[in-house]
Short mmCIF file of all heavy atoms in Angstrom, two decimals:
data_model
loop_
_atom_site.label_atom_id
_atom_site.label_comp_id
_atom_site.label_asym_id
_atom_site.label_seq_id
_atom_site.Cartn_x
_atom_site.Cartn_y
_atom_site.Cartn_z
N SER A 214 -15.91 28.54 -0.25
CA SER A 214 -16.47 28.74 -1.58
C SER A 214 -16.31 27.40 -2.39
O SER A 214 -17.14 27.13 -3.24
CB SER A 214 -15.68 29.81 -2.29
OG SER A 214 -15.96 31.05 -1.70
N PHE A 215 -15.33 26.60 -2.16
CA PHE A 215 -15.03 25.39 -2.95
C PHE A 215 -16.17 24.38 -2.81
O PHE A 215 -16.29 23.38 -3.55
CB PHE A 215 -13.70 24.84 -2.81
CG PHE A 215 -13.30 24.34 -1.55
CD1 PHE A 215 -12.03 23.77 -1.28
CD2 PHE A 215 -14.07 24.62 -0.36
CE1 PHE A 215 -11.58 23.35 -0.08
CE2 PHE A 215 -13.55 24.20 0.86
CZ PHE A 215 -12.36 23.59 1.07
N LEU A 216 -16.95 24.48 -1.75
CA LEU A 216 -17.91 23.59 -1.39
C LEU A 216 -19.28 23.75 -2.31
O LEU A 216 -20.24 22.99 -2.13
CB LEU A 216 -18.44 23.55 0.04
CG LEU A 216 -17.27 23.38 1.13
CD1 LEU A 216 -17.81 23.33 2.41
CD2 LEU A 216 -16.58 22.10 0.80
N ARG A 217 -19.20 24.66 -3.22
CA ARG A 217 -20.25 24.83 -4.27
C ARG A 217 -19.99 23.94 -5.51
O ARG A 217 -20.79 24.00 -6.41
CB ARG A 217 -20.34 26.30 -4.61
CG ARG A 217 -20.66 27.21 -3.53
CD ARG A 217 -22.03 27.08 -3.16
NE ARG A 217 -22.43 28.20 -2.08
CZ ARG A 217 -23.64 28.40 -1.62
NH1 ARG A 217 -24.65 27.76 -2.18
NH2 ARG A 217 -23.83 29.30 -0.71
N LEU A 218 -18.80 23.32 -5.64
CA LEU A 218 -18.46 22.56 -6.81
C LEU A 218 -18.70 21.08 -6.67
O LEU A 218 -18.68 20.67 -5.40
CB LEU A 218 -17.01 22.85 -7.18
CG LEU A 218 -16.63 24.28 -7.58
CD1 LEU A 218 -15.07 24.33 -7.54
CD2 LEU A 218 -17.23 24.55 -8.91
N ARG A 219 -19.05 20.45 -7.88
CA ARG A 219 -19.03 18.98 -7.82
C ARG A 219 -18.04 18.52 -8.88
O ARG A 219 -18.34 18.23 -10.01
CB ARG A 219 -20.60 18.53 -8.21
CG ARG A 219 -21.62 18.88 -7.12
CD ARG A 219 -21.30 18.02 -5.84
NE ARG A 219 -21.00 16.56 -6.07
CZ ARG A 219 -22.02 15.73 -6.11
NH1 ARG A 219 -23.29 16.07 -6.04
NH2 ARG A 219 -21.68 14.44 -6.24
N PRO A 220 -16.77 18.27 -8.43
CA PRO A 220 -15.83 17.86 -9.33
C PRO A 220 -15.89 16.40 -9.82
O PRO A 220 -16.47 15.61 -9.21
CB PRO A 220 -14.42 18.02 -8.63
CG PRO A 220 -14.91 18.81 -7.32
CD PRO A 220 -16.28 18.50 -7.09
N ASP A 221 -15.40 16.21 -11.08
CA ASP A 221 -15.14 14.82 -11.52
C ASP A 221 -13.80 14.45 -11.17
O ASP A 221 -13.58 13.27 -10.85
CB ASP A 221 -15.37 14.79 -13.10
CG ASP A 221 -16.83 15.10 -13.53
OD1 ASP A 221 -17.53 14.22 -13.57
OD2 ASP A 221 -17.03 16.24 -13.86
N VAL A 222 -12.79 15.35 -11.21
CA VAL A 222 -11.44 15.11 -10.68
C VAL A 222 -11.16 16.32 -9.82
O VAL A 222 -11.34 17.45 -10.07
CB VAL A 222 -10.49 15.12 -11.88
CG1 VAL A 222 -9.08 14.94 -11.22
CG2 VAL A 222 -10.74 13.98 -12.80
N ALA A 223 -10.72 15.88 -8.53
CA ALA A 223 -10.44 16.91 -7.55
C ALA A 223 -8.86 16.74 -7.22
O ALA A 223 -8.54 15.69 -6.81
CB ALA A 223 -11.13 16.86 -6.27
N VAL A 224 -8.10 17.77 -7.45
CA VAL A 224 -6.73 17.76 -6.99
C VAL A 224 -6.62 18.53 -5.78
O VAL A 224 -7.06 19.65 -5.65
CB VAL A 224 -5.74 18.37 -8.13
CG1 VAL A 224 -4.38 18.39 -7.57
CG2 VAL A 224 -5.93 17.55 -9.31
N ILE A 225 -5.95 18.03 -4.72
CA ILE A 225 -5.75 18.85 -3.46
C ILE A 225 -4.15 18.93 -3.34
O ILE A 225 -3.47 17.93 -2.98
CB ILE A 225 -6.42 18.15 -2.19
CG1 ILE A 225 -7.91 18.05 -2.51
CG2 ILE A 225 -6.05 18.94 -0.97
CD1 ILE A 225 -8.63 17.40 -1.39
N THR A 226 -3.60 20.13 -3.44
CA THR A 226 -2.20 20.32 -3.28
C THR A 226 -1.64 20.53 -2.01
O THR A 226 -0.45 20.22 -1.88
CB THR A 226 -1.89 21.56 -4.23
OG1 THR A 226 -2.41 22.79 -3.66
CG2 THR A 226 -2.45 21.41 -5.68
N SER A 227 -2.44 20.91 -1.03
CA SER A 227 -1.90 21.28 0.25
C SER A 227 -3.12 21.62 1.11
O SER A 227 -4.08 22.12 0.63
CB SER A 227 -0.90 22.50 0.23
OG SER A 227 -1.60 23.52 -0.36
N VAL A 228 -2.97 21.30 2.51
CA VAL A 228 -3.82 21.78 3.45
C VAL A 228 -3.06 22.23 4.64
O VAL A 228 -2.36 21.49 5.41
CB VAL A 228 -4.84 20.57 3.90
CG1 VAL A 228 -5.72 21.02 4.95
CG2 VAL A 228 -5.54 19.99 2.77
N ALA A 229 -3.09 23.60 4.88
CA ALA A 229 -2.33 24.17 5.97
C ALA A 229 -3.16 25.18 6.66
O ALA A 229 -4.24 25.67 6.09
CB ALA A 229 -1.02 24.91 5.32
N PRO A 230 -2.84 25.64 7.89
CA PRO A 230 -3.66 26.62 8.57
C PRO A 230 -3.63 27.88 7.75
O PRO A 230 -2.52 28.56 7.57
CB PRO A 230 -3.01 26.71 9.87
CG PRO A 230 -1.97 25.53 10.07
CD PRO A 230 -1.76 25.15 8.64
N ASP A 231 -4.77 28.39 7.29
CA ASP A 231 -4.95 29.68 6.58
C ASP A 231 -6.33 29.99 6.75
O ASP A 231 -7.29 29.25 6.95
CB ASP A 231 -4.49 29.48 5.22
CG ASP A 231 -4.18 30.92 4.53
OD1 ASP A 231 -4.21 31.93 5.24
OD2 ASP A 231 -3.96 30.96 3.34
N HIS A 232 -6.67 31.31 6.48
CA HIS A 232 -7.95 31.86 6.56
C HIS A 232 -8.57 31.53 8.01
O HIS A 232 -9.88 31.23 8.02
CB HIS A 232 -8.86 31.44 5.51
CG HIS A 232 -8.37 31.72 4.08
ND1 HIS A 232 -8.20 33.05 3.69
CD2 HIS A 232 -8.09 31.03 3.02
CE1 HIS A 232 -7.81 32.99 2.46
NE2 HIS A 232 -7.64 31.86 2.11
N LEU A 233 -7.79 31.59 8.95
CA LEU A 233 -8.31 31.25 10.32
C LEU A 233 -9.27 32.37 10.84
O LEU A 233 -10.04 31.96 11.77
CB LEU A 233 -7.17 31.12 11.29
CG LEU A 233 -6.20 30.00 10.94
CD1 LEU A 233 -5.13 29.87 12.11
CD2 LEU A 233 -7.01 28.69 10.82
N ASP A 234 -9.38 33.45 10.16
CA ASP A 234 -10.42 34.37 10.45
C ASP A 234 -11.84 33.89 10.05
O ASP A 234 -12.85 34.25 10.62
CB ASP A 234 -10.07 35.76 9.81
CG ASP A 234 -9.99 35.64 8.27
OD1 ASP A 234 -9.41 34.70 7.86
OD2 ASP A 234 -10.40 36.61 7.56
N ILE A 235 -11.79 33.00 9.06
CA ILE A 235 -13.02 32.34 8.60
C ILE A 235 -13.29 30.98 9.30
O ILE A 235 -14.33 30.82 9.79
CB ILE A 235 -12.99 32.13 7.01
CG1 ILE A 235 -12.70 33.39 6.28
CG2 ILE A 235 -14.21 31.35 6.64
CD1 ILE A 235 -13.86 34.40 6.44
N TYR A 236 -12.29 30.31 9.51
CA TYR A 236 -12.44 28.84 9.92
C TYR A 236 -12.27 28.71 11.38
O TYR A 236 -12.84 27.79 12.02
CB TYR A 236 -11.40 27.94 9.30
CG TYR A 236 -11.67 27.58 7.74
CD1 TYR A 236 -11.14 28.36 6.84
CD2 TYR A 236 -12.66 26.62 7.52
CE1 TYR A 236 -11.42 28.11 5.44
CE2 TYR A 236 -13.08 26.44 6.15
CZ TYR A 236 -12.39 27.11 5.16
OH TYR A 236 -12.75 26.88 3.89
N GLY A 237 -11.42 29.51 12.06
CA GLY A 237 -11.22 29.55 13.47
C GLY A 237 -10.10 28.61 13.91
O GLY A 237 -9.15 29.03 14.69
N THR A 238 -10.08 27.39 13.46
CA THR A 238 -8.99 26.46 13.75
C THR A 238 -8.52 25.64 12.44
O THR A 238 -9.21 25.63 11.48
CB THR A 238 -9.52 25.40 14.78
OG1 THR A 238 -10.50 24.54 14.09
CG2 THR A 238 -10.08 26.14 16.00
N PHE A 239 -7.24 25.05 12.67
CA PHE A 239 -6.85 24.29 11.53
C PHE A 239 -7.65 23.13 11.30
O PHE A 239 -7.79 22.61 10.11
CB PHE A 239 -5.42 23.92 11.90
CG PHE A 239 -4.70 23.09 10.91
CD1 PHE A 239 -4.98 23.17 9.51
CD2 PHE A 239 -3.83 22.09 11.23
CE1 PHE A 239 -4.39 22.42 8.55
CE2 PHE A 239 -3.24 21.21 10.20
CZ PHE A 239 -3.54 21.44 8.88
N GLU A 240 -8.14 22.54 12.39
CA GLU A 240 -8.97 21.26 12.29
C GLU A 240 -10.25 21.60 11.46
O GLU A 240 -10.75 20.80 10.62
CB GLU A 240 -9.57 20.90 13.71
CG GLU A 240 -10.27 19.60 13.68
CD GLU A 240 -9.62 18.39 13.00
OE1 GLU A 240 -8.41 18.25 13.11
OE2 GLU A 240 -10.31 17.65 12.23
N ALA A 241 -10.80 22.83 11.61
CA ALA A 241 -11.93 23.21 10.73
C ALA A 241 -11.57 23.32 9.36
O ALA A 241 -12.34 22.99 8.34
CB ALA A 241 -12.47 24.60 11.30
N VAL A 242 -10.32 23.80 8.95
CA VAL A 242 -9.78 23.87 7.74
C VAL A 242 -9.81 22.40 7.01
O VAL A 242 -10.10 22.15 5.93
CB VAL A 242 -8.46 24.52 7.66
CG1 VAL A 242 -7.80 24.52 6.20
CG2 VAL A 242 -8.44 25.87 8.08
N ARG A 243 -9.19 21.51 7.84
CA ARG A 243 -9.07 20.14 7.32
C ARG A 243 -10.48 19.51 7.13
O ARG A 243 -10.65 18.82 6.12
CB ARG A 243 -8.27 19.34 8.46
CG ARG A 243 -6.81 19.70 8.48
CD ARG A 243 -6.04 18.85 9.56
NE ARG A 243 -6.00 17.42 9.28
CZ ARG A 243 -6.67 16.59 9.96
NH1 ARG A 243 -7.41 16.83 11.04
NH2 ARG A 243 -6.74 15.25 9.56
N GLU A 244 -11.34 19.79 7.95
CA GLU A 244 -12.78 19.23 7.82
C GLU A 244 -13.37 19.86 6.44
O GLU A 244 -14.03 19.10 5.83
CB GLU A 244 -13.67 19.73 8.98
CG GLU A 244 -13.35 19.00 10.19
CD GLU A 244 -14.10 19.46 11.46
OE1 GLU A 244 -14.99 20.37 11.23
OE2 GLU A 244 -13.91 19.05 12.49
N ALA A 245 -13.04 21.09 6.18
CA ALA A 245 -13.64 21.68 4.97
C ALA A 245 -13.09 21.01 3.75
O ALA A 245 -13.71 20.73 2.82
CB ALA A 245 -13.45 23.20 4.98
N PHE A 246 -11.83 20.68 3.77
CA PHE A 246 -11.20 20.03 2.67
C PHE A 246 -11.73 18.61 2.49
O PHE A 246 -11.93 18.04 1.34
CB PHE A 246 -9.61 20.03 2.74
CG PHE A 246 -9.05 21.27 2.09
CD1 PHE A 246 -8.81 22.41 2.97
CD2 PHE A 246 -8.65 21.37 0.84
CE1 PHE A 246 -8.21 23.59 2.50
CE2 PHE A 246 -8.05 22.46 0.32
CZ PHE A 246 -7.84 23.63 1.17
N GLY A 247 -11.98 17.91 3.65
CA GLY A 247 -12.57 16.71 3.58
C GLY A 247 -13.95 16.80 3.00
O GLY A 247 -14.40 15.79 2.25
N GLN A 248 -14.73 17.79 3.27
CA GLN A 248 -16.08 17.97 2.61
C GLN A 248 -15.86 18.12 1.14
O GLN A 248 -16.82 17.62 0.33
CB GLN A 248 -16.80 19.11 3.38
CG GLN A 248 -17.17 18.91 4.76
CD GLN A 248 -17.69 20.17 5.43
OE1 GLN A 248 -17.38 21.34 5.03
NE2 GLN A 248 -18.43 20.14 6.57
N PHE A 249 -14.92 18.85 0.71
CA PHE A 249 -14.63 19.10 -0.67
C PHE A 249 -14.38 17.79 -1.29
O PHE A 249 -14.95 17.48 -2.42
CB PHE A 249 -13.48 20.07 -0.88
CG PHE A 249 -13.01 20.20 -2.19
CD1 PHE A 249 -13.80 20.78 -3.21
CD2 PHE A 249 -11.81 19.72 -2.62
CE1 PHE A 249 -13.39 21.03 -4.55
CE2 PHE A 249 -11.33 19.76 -3.95
CZ PHE A 249 -12.16 20.47 -4.88
N ALA A 250 -13.48 16.94 -0.74
CA ALA A 250 -13.30 15.67 -1.31
C ALA A 250 -14.51 14.81 -1.48
O ALA A 250 -14.66 14.07 -2.35
CB ALA A 250 -12.19 14.90 -0.44
N GLY A 251 -15.43 14.96 -0.44
CA GLY A 251 -16.65 14.20 -0.46
C GLY A 251 -17.64 14.64 -1.56
O GLY A 251 -18.68 13.99 -1.77
N LEU A 252 -17.43 15.86 -2.17
CA LEU A 252 -18.27 16.36 -3.28
C LEU A 252 -17.94 15.80 -4.65
O LEU A 252 -18.65 16.02 -5.63
CB LEU A 252 -18.22 17.82 -3.22
CG LEU A 252 -18.80 18.55 -2.08
CD1 LEU A 252 -18.47 20.04 -2.19
CD2 LEU A 252 -20.40 18.32 -1.99
N VAL A 253 -16.81 14.97 -4.71
CA VAL A 253 -16.47 14.26 -6.03
C VAL A 253 -17.49 13.43 -6.35
O VAL A 253 -18.04 12.61 -5.61
CB VAL A 253 -15.08 13.65 -5.96
CG1 VAL A 253 -14.80 12.95 -7.17
CG2 VAL A 253 -13.92 14.69 -5.51
N LYS A 254 -17.84 13.52 -7.71
CA LYS A 254 -18.93 12.73 -8.25
C LYS A 254 -18.67 11.30 -8.14
O LYS A 254 -17.50 10.92 -8.23
CB LYS A 254 -19.32 13.17 -9.63
CG LYS A 254 -19.74 14.55 -9.85
CD LYS A 254 -19.87 14.98 -11.31
CE LYS A 254 -20.15 16.43 -11.50
NZ LYS A 254 -20.14 16.87 -12.98
N PRO A 255 -19.64 10.42 -8.01
CA PRO A 255 -19.45 8.98 -8.02
C PRO A 255 -18.68 8.65 -9.29
O PRO A 255 -19.02 9.01 -10.33
CB PRO A 255 -20.81 8.29 -7.94
CG PRO A 255 -21.62 9.41 -7.29
CD PRO A 255 -21.13 10.68 -7.76
N GLY A 256 -17.64 7.70 -9.11
CA GLY A 256 -16.96 7.33 -10.29
C GLY A 256 -15.75 8.25 -10.54
O GLY A 256 -14.98 8.02 -11.54
N GLY A 257 -15.63 9.28 -9.77
CA GLY A 257 -14.61 10.35 -9.99
C GLY A 257 -13.35 9.92 -9.35
O GLY A 257 -13.06 8.91 -8.85
N HIS A 258 -12.37 10.91 -9.40
CA HIS A 258 -10.97 10.71 -8.95
C HIS A 258 -10.61 11.82 -8.06
O HIS A 258 -10.91 12.99 -8.22
CB HIS A 258 -10.04 10.72 -10.16
CG HIS A 258 -10.24 9.58 -11.08
ND1 HIS A 258 -9.51 8.40 -11.05
CD2 HIS A 258 -11.19 9.42 -11.94
CE1 HIS A 258 -9.92 7.62 -11.98
NE2 HIS A 258 -10.94 8.12 -12.65
N ILE A 259 -9.87 11.49 -6.93
CA ILE A 259 -9.14 12.45 -6.06
C ILE A 259 -7.66 12.31 -6.14
O ILE A 259 -7.08 11.19 -6.06
CB ILE A 259 -9.62 12.35 -4.59
CG1 ILE A 259 -11.11 12.51 -4.48
CG2 ILE A 259 -8.87 13.22 -3.57
CD1 ILE A 259 -11.57 12.16 -2.99
N VAL A 260 -6.91 13.37 -6.50
CA VAL A 260 -5.56 13.37 -6.58
C VAL A 260 -4.94 14.19 -5.34
O VAL A 260 -5.14 15.38 -5.31
CB VAL A 260 -5.06 13.92 -7.99
CG1 VAL A 260 -3.51 13.93 -8.01
CG2 VAL A 260 -5.58 13.20 -9.14
#
């Protein structure tokens, strides 16, 4: 769901194996969080 947002500031507190019924693997979870980070607007910040 978070891939629908375009943040100016994105905070990522943790990335752990969860919702594996949706993602299948932990690597897919990590990839999704990487995609979320990639949605930060130009000139924005990632914490």
